[in-house]
Amino acid sequence: MAEKLKGLLGLCRRAGKLSVGHDAAVASIKSGKAFLAVTCADSSQRLKKEIADECTYKGRNIKYADTDLTMQELFTAIGARAGVIAVEESGFADRLYEYLTGGYEYDKKV
């Protein structure tokens, strides 16, 4: 995982804009606070399906990324071990979604 991505995840955590873990992420999605949900590569298929379904349930339009990040990599970035996170700020969510889906080359030097 690129250092810029780790930095952005850490910044998002310090800003208090992450819901970490299953219960917190699902609550954030259901309440309409979440702009992005992310599952880790080593999360169960059941969890990935549940989160993806929650993001689109009853017309919700919440971005979802199933990434190649492991729980350990996420832990090093945010300091919490979880298989799923929800981002509750649109600017962070947009940039993270670009990073995680390959829409932005985060290793590219500017």
Side-chain angles (χ1 to χ4, degrees):
M1 179 172 43
E3 291 304 313
K4 286 185 181 182
L5 179 56
K6 285 182 187 179
L8 187 57
L9 283 167
L11 182 62
C12 190
R13 172 73 175 196
R14 288 188 301 279
K17 299 300 180 183
L18 280 185
S19 292
V20 180
H22 175 271
D23 294 344
V26 170
S28 179
I29 292 166
K30 286 181 176 180
S31 70
K33 291 180 183 177
F35 290 91
L36 169 67
V38 179
T39 54
C40 294
D42 47 353
S43 297
S44 71
Q45 291 299 342
R46 183 199 59 77
L47 176 66
K48 292 175 183 182
K49 181 177 179 347
E50 178 185 355
I51 297 300
D53 290 348
E54 282 293 337
C55 288
T56 58
Y57 183 71
K58 290 190 177 179
R60 290 184 193 126
N61 191 22
I62 298 170
K63 293 177 184 174
Y64 168 72
D66 177 23
T67 69
D68 59 352
L69 299 174
T70 65
M71 286 187 228
Q72 183 59 41
E73 289 173 320
L74 187 62
F75 175 78
T76 61
I78 66 172
R81 185 166 169 81
V84 60
I85 59 172
V87 181
E88 297 179 344
E89 199 278 323
S90 64
F92 283 130
D94 291 343
R95 183 55 64 95
L96 282 168
Y97 188 73
E98 289 174 357
Y99 281 141
L100 296 170
T101 60
Y104 183 84
E105 295 191 28
Y106 48 83
D107 287 328
K108 181 178 169 183
K109 294 195 178 199
V110 179

